[in-house]
Structures are given as C-alpha cells and as structure tokens.
Amino acid sequence: MDNYNEELGLRIPEHVAIIMDGNGRWAKAHLVPRNMGHSAGSKVVEQICEDAYNIGIKYLTVYAFSTENWKRSSEEVGALMLLLRNYLKDCIKRANSNNMRVIVIGDKSGLSDDIVETIQHLEEVTKDNTGLTFVIALNYGGRDELLRAMKKIGADIQNGSLSPDAITEQLISDYLDTRGIPDPDLLIRTSGEQRLSNFLPWQLAYTEFYFPEVLWPDFNKDELIKAVKKYNSRERRFGGRKEE
Ligand code: IPE
Ligand code: IPE
Ligand code: MG
C-alpha cells in the first residue's frame, strides 16, 4: 500500500526494486578501471537506503549480482566479491544504527562460505529492526529462484507434506526467496537499458517500470524522487477498468 508524503505531495510506493546498471560505463566515461565504477556504485547504495526510508519507502530491493554475472572475467568477479565482503561487513554496523532489516535473496549455495556466514549473521542481527527492509539480490536469477522453488514443492509433494491441490499463487510466492515481502510497486533500471535480465520475473508481474538514462554511480535522492513522480503519473489498473 502506498503511503502519502505531505512534504513532497507524492504517493510513495511501498516497495521499490532497482537494477543498478551502468557502473562499467560510468568508469569508462571517467577514464578509471571498471572496479572503481563498482565501488562508486556501492557507495550510492548506502545513501539510497537512507533516502528511500526518509521519503517513506518501506522495502528496497537491489540487484547486486546475477546468476549470469559469473560470465564476467575472473578479475571482475573477484573484485565484485571483495567489494561485497566489505560491503556486507560494513552493512552490519549501518543496519543497526539505521534500524534497517536486511534480507539476502538468491542462491547462497553458489557463494563462498565466509560470505554465506556474513550474510547469516547480518540477517540474524537485523531481523527485529523495524525501519527499512533492505533486500539484496546476490547470485540471484529469477528462473533459478523458480527452479529452486519447484524442486522444493516437488520434494514436499513426494514426502507427503503438500498436496498438488493445495498449490495456489500464494503458495508459490511462499516458496520463493521473497516470501513475506510484498511485490515491488516500482522497478527502476538505470543506464537506459530496458530489460529485466532475469530479475524478479514472478514478483514484477504488475509492477510499474521506469528506465532513466542516469548511470548507477550518478543516481541520487533527486533521481529517486523523479522516479516516484513518474510512478505518481501512472494509473495502476491491475486488469480492471477505471469507472468513467
Ligand atoms: C552493474 O554495472 C553492476 C553489476 C552488474 C554488478 P555493470 O558492470 O553492468 O555496468 P555496465 O552495464 O557495463 O555499464
Ligand atoms: C543486471 O545487469 C545485473 C545487475 C545489475 C546485478 P547486467 O549489466 O549484468 O545485465 P545485462 O548483461 O546487461 O543484461
Ligand atoms: Mg550492465
């Protein structure tokens, strides 16, 4: 459910999802190595979490590393994992001072043990925080998430704890990594690309999409408000019809 921000005069989407794209192009434009684009991008994530919560957003989901991103050079993947390790450790401190609850979605079995441990710790120590719910998609692929859910459903049918008749849309949602999290109201993909790249295909079925040209490391609070304004100009119908 949207809430209303009096000061901005805007309806605020409850859940915003972001495909943070354009770090590489930003680095190229600044004549610096790609890794510097990624580290500039990770700083922006920290700031956007605060800005999002301050304007009234309750859930923020960011695409940090896809199941397809392993195709990048080992040098780039290594740099991203190092950045991630540092980011997650730092996030533990920030999350508690900002009352932020952190949830990681994606296939954890594909991540190194130390990263998985840090994630478990981060989720555990922030689970009772009541501010922003910050969802990080890590080694996440939407088709992979559906595949893992289907395997679990199959296993539960086989062991007798689930009957095929009990499968509903809600039950499928409950088998996904995003269980308990409302579907995103607004999706933002920076850098002008207009595709999902395997991000939340089930959850984005009725989400409003916005594709600004800005590269992720240049994204800021003004850009976020611009996105929310765009969202306010859309009419969400959910298949129904507005009464004349
Ligand atoms: C997004 O930036 C960050 C990740 C995918 C980890 P890119 O690295 O995809 O940046 P571009 O698309 O090459 O500019
Ligand atoms: C999507 O961006 C993944 C993340 C932002 C983590 P990519 O840059 O990897 O997507 P493609 O390759 O352009 O589709
Ligand atoms: Mg990209």
Side-chain angles (χ1 to χ4, degrees):
M1 262 278 273
D2 295 348
N3 66 52
Y4 192 75
N5 182 315
E6 297 280 347
E7 198 186 321
L8 295 171
L10 291 172
R11 279 184 294 112
I12 306 295
E14 181 182 34
H15 184 174
V16 175
I18 307 183
I19 302 176
M20 310 182 290
D21 201 7
N23 293 351
R25 276 161 283 173
W26 183 92
K28 198 167 180 198
H30 288 78
L31 307 172
V32 295
R34 281 187 77 84
N35 301 342
M36 286 183 70
H38 294 313
S39 58
S42 84
K43 296 271 184 325
V44 172
V45 184
E46 291 176 21
Q47 187 57 47
I48 288 302
C49 283
E50 286 187 34
D51 296 337
Y53 192 63
N54 287 338
I55 68 169
I57 292 166
K58 303 276 186 254
Y59 296 83
L60 179 72
T61 298
V62 299
Y63 205 3
F65 192 88
S66 75
T67 46
E68 287 70 35
N69 285 146
W70 298 107
K71 291 180 194 159
R72 297 190 179 197
S73 70
S74 57
E75 191 196 352
E76 181 167 0
V77 170
L80 281 167
M81 289 300 148
L82 181 63
L83 192 64
L84 193 71
R85 278 187 176 86
N86 294 332
Y87 180 83
L88 292 171
K89 285 198 186 113
D90 193 52
C91 198
I92 296 177
K93 283 177 253 152
R94 272 186 313 108
N96 281 331
S97 60
N98 294 339
N99 194 20
M100 181 165 89
R101 173 167 74 126
V102 186
I103 294 173
V104 176
I105 59 170
D107 183 7
K108 296 190 181 92
S109 72
L111 298 168
S112 326
D113 292 348
D114 69 299
I115 295 185
V116 177
E117 270 169 40
T118 310
I119 291 170
Q120 276 163 355
H121 181 58
L122 179 59
E123 289 182 328
E124 179 58 31
V125 300
T126 65
K127 71 178 192 316
D128 296 323
N129 288 348
T130 54
L132 180 78
T133 296
F134 178 44
V135 183
I136 310 174
L138 252 185
N139 194 25
Y140 176 87
R143 289 183 174 181
D144 174 69
E145 180 189 33
L146 284 162
L147 176 78
R148 286 184 286 106
M150 284 181 203
K151 282 188 177 165
K152 270 189 254 161
I153 290 174
D156 284 349
I157 289 175
Q158 205 169 31
N159 70 29
S161 62
L162 180 68
S163 122
D165 294 337
I167 300 177
T168 57
E169 291 189 8
Q170 185 59 51
L171 180 123
I172 294 173
S173 296
D174 291 341
Y175 272 80
L176 297 176
D177 298 346
T178 49
R179 74 192 68 82
I181 299 168
D183 289 339
D185 302 292
L186 171 65
L187 169 81
I188 303 169
R189 180 172 188 152
T190 57
S191 86
E193 306 298 342
Q194 303 193 4
R195 57 177 170 271
L196 287 185
S197 303
N198 208 3
F199 191 45
L200 303 172
W202 173 272
Q203 298 86 342
L204 295 176
Y206 260 107
T207 302
E208 296 295 330
F209 289 5
Y210 174 59
F211 300 109
E213 292 295 324
V214 61
L215 303 174
W216 177 251
D218 291 328
F219 196 83
N220 56 25
K221 190 176 181 182
D222 285 346
E223 293 288 342
L224 181 65
I225 292 172
K226 243 195 261 177
V228 173
K229 279 195 180 136
K230 217 31 179 199
Y231 173 80
N232 275 246
S233 72
R234 307 273 176 87
E235 183 200 325
R236 301 186 78 189
R237 297 185 188 164
F238 299 101
R241 231 180 113 237
K242 202 172 157 190
E243 292 304 317
E244 304 279 315

